[in-house]
Amino acid sequence: VQTCALPIFTIDHFKGLEKSNKPLPRTSDWRQGSFALGAWNAQHPVFPKTIDEALLKLSTKPNIKPIVCDIHKLTHPSDYGITKISICNVDVDIYEPTVSSLEFLSKCDWEEVFIRFDDWHGGERDYDFHERKAFYEWIEKYKYNFEITHGGYIGGVYVKR
């Protein structure tokens, strides 16, 4: 049996969350610096402590292509070897990097893309100012067609140009 391992691009600067200008959900652990590399090592010693350790862990999966970069500073997808895409996972939590993630996605080659939002939180008003807000603004800006397939804690959306 021959398998085809398509490339998976992951983008992270490993510095954790930036400061958001939007109200943060009271029930979240979203604070500036949350989820920074090394922040969880006391509770989870299997997590890498440095960027080099993280990249070494990923090196065992040759189809995973890490891009170490601030999401706001990404250039054109072709600069990273990103060609036609079909799936995007957005796990940046807060509004500002979600906006930048979706703007980068607009530069990618796709006619239809499935986007999975890690923190959609449909129906939870405390989260109204983050991933969902950025998504709806993006849809309105580019006039994309979309269908929400699931909209609870995790959201899923098919988007067509």
Side-chain angles (χ1 to χ4, degrees):
V1 174
Q2 188 176 16
T3 61
C4 176
L6 296 173
I8 298 171
F9 295 89
T10 180
I11 303 165
D12 201 331
H13 61 25
F14 298 105
K15 295 177 184 174
L17 294 181
E18 63 192 74
K19 182 178 182 345
S20 180
N21 292 318
K22 302 291 184 195
L24 296 174
R26 292 168 298 184
T27 58
S28 77
D29 51 0
W30 297 352
R31 304 290 175 266
Q32 185 173 3
S34 291
F35 317 117
L37 190 65
W40 300 99
N41 289 336
Q43 298 120 338
H44 305 285
V46 298
F47 286 0
K49 296 175 185 68
T50 66
I51 292 174
D52 287 339
E53 284 181 23
L55 296 176
L56 182 63
K57 241 181 146 93
L58 290 174
S59 71
T60 64
K61 310 289 184 198
N63 65 313
I64 297 179
K65 313 292 183 196
I67 300 167
V68 180
C69 185
D70 183 320
I71 195 75
H72 306 296
K73 296 179 181 176
L74 290 170
T75 57
H76 194 272
S78 62
D79 295 339
Y80 310 100
I82 299 172
T83 57
K84 191 160 187 139
I85 65 165
S86 58
I87 299 171
C88 177
N89 181 60
V90 176
D91 183 6
V92 293
D93 304 335
I94 60 177
Y95 174 80
E96 294 85 353
T98 304
V99 169
S100 292
S101 298
L102 294 170
E103 284 301 319
F104 183 74
L105 182 59
S106 286
K107 296 176 186 177
C108 292
D109 181 14
W110 54 273
E111 292 304 315
E112 181 177 52
V113 65
F114 179 78
I115 309 172
R116 177 194 181 268
F117 290 92
D118 188 64
D119 284 290
W120 186 261
H121 292 274
E124 295 180 57
R125 296 184 72 199
D126 270 1
Y127 293 83
D128 284 352
F129 297 100
H130 296 284
E131 287 184 355
R132 283 183 283 114
K133 179 177 181 53
F135 171 75
Y136 286 117
E137 289 174 354
W138 179 68
I139 288 294
E140 181 61 29
K141 178 179 179 178
Y142 291 101
K143 306 296 186 212
Y144 294 142
N145 295 310
F146 70 97
E147 177 187 348
I148 298 173
T149 60
H150 49 286
Y153 175 76
I154 294 171
V157 185
Y158 280 105
V159 180
K160 290 184 179 184
R161 289 193 194 261

